[in-house]
Amino acid sequence: MMRIDTHHHPIFDAYTKPLASIGITGPGPRDFPEWSPESALNVMERHEIDATVMSIGAPGSFFGDINFTRALVRSCNEALAQIKADHSGKFAALGLVSLPDADRAARDVTYALDELGLDGIGLVSHYGDQYLGDPAFDAFYAAADELGAVVFFHPAFPRYIAGLNLLYPPVFTDGEIDSTRALLNLLASGTLEKFPNIKWYMPHAGGALWSQLSRVYTLEKLPPFRAKIPKGVNAYLKQIYFDLAHSTSPIALKPLFEIVDIDHVMMGTDYQFSPDPEEIVRETLDGISSYDGFDDEARAKIWYKNALGLFPQLA
């Protein structure tokens, strides 16, 4: 049975060298790990993964200087296109955009998808203090909506994390909280209603969303939000795709499937951001294989069928 990993982070010089020049050497407390297309292909072969979707996650592409961001976005998108071209059929790629410059980001979408042949857009949950859903980004959403783009969003650590005296890795909580902030902002701002042709997908089985869902339903009753979510919260959540990176235990899967249909769930590993990158691939595959709530057809949808709905070129 075919397998497609929809959540895979490449690490290459066009991204890491510019970040190193401004003192950024990793997504948080640890440095960027080593990565190459060849090493990724070796891992894919060992675990019978046929294709993977590359996206650049944390720490993102905006660090206060928009000119730096514009140059970084263009060089990374061209590097992603080259990796994809060099290994035909093995990699799809999600390009960056120059948010918070929404007008430039709108042009980036067209360049990435129409000229470079990339397969969608990869965002992070926030750019500076602006979260996804901010109406200041409407020019970008409109361009993505016009193209019916696949848009993935990944958590990035808020700036306040550095000042917290935590005794555990903040990725255990704050990454999931931050992607949930972005999702709720997309919902509460009316972005999901206003731009219905964007095919959004979110990692980690929805992050911290499900534990807060009873509160989120309150939005349907509050006057400032009713007109922005006229179909009701659940209708919009059912439109979003979710990957299962770090989220294949029954305690993570059961809340997800209380709301989300099996047709909107995909395999994702988050390779290579974990202390043991290959172990997380193994755990993801084992979790999907062993979960007693899946039959063969459900697993086929998660392994590859749903991903092919978003990335048919990988067939």
Side-chain angles (χ1 to χ4, degrees):
M1 190 179 292
M2 188 179 188
R3 288 173 173 171
I4 298 173
D5 180 359
T6 62
H7 185 163
H8 179 111
H9 297 303
I11 300 159
F12 46 81
D13 286 350
Y15 183 62
T16 58
K17 285 187 174 180
L19 264 61
S21 74
I22 58 172
I24 297 172
T25 59
R30 56 180 299 222
D31 289 345
F32 290 115
E34 294 293 325
W35 182 92
S36 70
E38 293 71 28
S39 65
L41 289 167
N42 288 337
V43 171
M44 290 162 62
E45 183 176 3
R46 283 196 291 274
H47 297 281
E48 298 180 320
I49 296 171
D50 298 272
T52 191
V53 182
M54 300 182 293
S55 59
I56 294 172
S61 56
F62 177 66
F63 309 97
D65 181 346
I66 195 62
N67 290 322
F68 177 91
T69 296
R70 293 172 186 143
L72 180 69
V73 164
R74 189 174 186 93
S75 63
C76 285
N77 287 350
E78 290 172 352
L80 287 165
Q82 190 62 57
I83 294 169
K84 179 182 171 182
D86 289 344
H87 305 279
S88 179
K90 287 296 184 180
F91 294 107
L94 306 180
L96 297 176
V97 295
S98 301
L99 290 177
D101 181 346
D103 291 331
R104 177 62 175 262
R107 296 195 295 274
D108 291 335
V109 174
T110 302
Y111 180 68
L113 274 58
D114 289 349
E115 296 190 41
L116 292 179
L118 300 184
D119 305 287
I121 299 300
L123 306 176
V124 288
S125 48
H126 65 275
Y127 293 82
D129 294 328
Q130 294 174 275
Y131 275 78
L132 302 183
D134 194 315
F137 297 165
D138 273 5
F140 160 70
Y141 308 136
D145 186 77
E146 183 175 353
L147 293 172
V150 175
V151 179
F152 175 60
F153 62 96
H154 192 277
F157 290 123
R159 288 183 295 179
Y160 66 75
I161 291 295
L164 298 182
N165 186 24
L166 297 176
L167 303 179
Y168 65 89
V171 70
F172 287 2
T173 53
D174 291 83
E176 309 313 323
I177 291 168
D178 215 61
S179 55
T180 301
R181 282 195 189 103
L183 175 58
L184 296 188
N185 225 39
L186 288 165
L187 182 69
S189 65
T191 303
L192 299 179
E193 168 68 17
K194 188 175 179 181
F195 303 101
N197 297 316
I198 298 174
K199 303 177 184 72
W200 295 97
Y201 84 95
M202 180 180 181
H204 312 142
L209 172 66
W210 312 114
S211 65
Q212 300 301 312
L213 198 53
S214 61
R215 294 185 177 188
V216 176
Y217 287 143
T218 307
L219 291 174
E220 299 174 1
K221 304 174 184 178
L222 298 177
F225 304 108
R226 281 198 298 250
K228 296 177 180 178
I229 49 174
K231 300 182 183 71
V233 168
N234 279 1
Y236 299 99
L237 296 182
K238 287 177 179 293
Q239 294 173 5
I240 295 170
Y241 289 78
F242 296 86
D243 77 41
L244 297 182
H246 302 283
S247 306
T248 55
S249 68
I251 200 168
L253 292 171
K254 288 179 180 178
L256 173 69
F257 287 109
E258 287 291 319
I259 304 297
V260 178
D261 189 83
I262 191 69
D263 292 334
H264 278 238
V265 178
M266 305 180 292
M267 183 185 90
T269 66
D270 211 357
Y271 186 85
Q272 106 149 351
F273 286 112
S274 63
D276 185 339
E278 194 160 350
E279 178 61 21
I280 199 61
V281 174
R282 190 178 300 109
E283 288 180 2
T284 300
L285 302 183
D286 289 347
I288 295 170
S289 297
S290 63
Y291 181 55
D292 61 11
F294 297 149
D295 58 18
D296 287 345
E297 179 58 21
R299 287 192 182 88
K301 289 180 178 182
I302 291 170
W303 289 137
Y304 75 97
K305 287 186 177 181
N306 297 340
L308 289 181
L310 297 182
F311 306 104
Q313 63 278 18
L314 292 177

